[in-house]
Amino acid sequence: MPPLLMTDSGQVRPSIPGNSFWRHARATDRCRSRVCTSSSRIAVENSDVVLLAVKPAMVGEVLGSVGDAIPVEALVISVAAGITTAALESGVAHGIGVVRAMPNTPALVGQGMTVLSAGRSCTPEQLVQAQELLAAVGKVAVVPEAQQDAVTALSGSGPAYVFYFLEAMMQAAVEMGLSEAQGRTLAQATFAGASALAQPVSYTHLRAHET
């Protein structure tokens, strides 16, 4: 059976790997109805993989509604920020493999950075399965869970700092007499080009060469 996506709306639907998954998750994030129905439990009972894509505050309610219906051989992947694997494991049957994932918003255009941490019962095969699934929306890395807070600060929240930097470059361009459209084009192209150039080379070396 295809992986299932559980959302804030209480719906459990087949998840299509790729950008459509993240667009659907973002759209249904606005829903605030009560979580889970009998049909949700039936769907979960027949799932090999469950993607938990709800607000962190709703994780307990979701797992309280369907956690006992998830098969012991299934894999649960959570993209709820800050929810530990221990918390996830406490809401499902003993032995179910769980993976904590920290994606970022560029996943919406297939350029995401998702970092995974495996729970105690997650098998190596299940971790590979999670990596393959989330690779559909960008790069994937695996770290010990103790490093997830650092990951959240860097790649999870990092796009906001990039956008702030681009906005500052665009505003500077306008102040120097360029149009906003020109400033936006120049800022984005400069950032994209510099990022591509930096992939195989030391940042320090590149910065010294530019200055």
Side-chain angles (χ1 to χ4, degrees), residues 109-179:
V109 293
Q111 296 293 317
M113 182 68 246
T114 304
V115 183
L116 309 180
S117 296
R120 291 176 299 177
S121 299
C122 179
T123 67
E125 292 77 16
Q126 287 177 319
L127 184 57
V128 169
Q129 186 178 21
Q131 290 176 268
E132 292 176 346
L133 178 63
L134 292 168
V137 291
K139 296 182 182 297
V140 180
V142 178
V143 300
E145 189 167 14
Q147 296 179 348
Q148 277 286 357
D149 287 345
V151 166
T152 301
L154 183 60
S155 61
S157 302
Y161 295 98
V162 173
F163 302 147
Y164 185 79
F165 180 72
L166 290 171
E167 183 181 28
M169 289 184 69
M170 183 182 69
Q171 290 174 345
V174 171
E175 291 172 3
M176 291 186 290
L178 297 173
S179 70

Side-chain angles (χ1 to χ4, degrees), residues 38-120:
S38 58
S39 61
S40 300
R41 290 181 60 85
I42 293 172
V44 167
E45 287 172 354
N46 296 289
S47 301
D48 297 318
V49 180
V50 175
L51 295 171
L52 189 61
V54 300
K55 291 289 189 182
M58 300 186 71
V59 169
E61 184 179 354
V62 169
L63 292 181
S65 298
V66 301
D68 61 340
I70 300 174
V72 70
E73 67 274 10
L75 169 64
V76 176
I77 304 173
S78 170
V79 297
I83 303 301
T84 65
T85 58
L88 296 169
E89 288 166 345
S90 70
V92 298
H94 178 72
I96 289 180
V98 305
V99 171
R100 175 181 173 180
M102 183 68 245
N104 61 12
T105 53
L108 291 165
V109 293
Q111 296 293 317
M113 182 68 246
T114 304
V115 183
L116 309 180
S117 296
R120 291 176 299 177

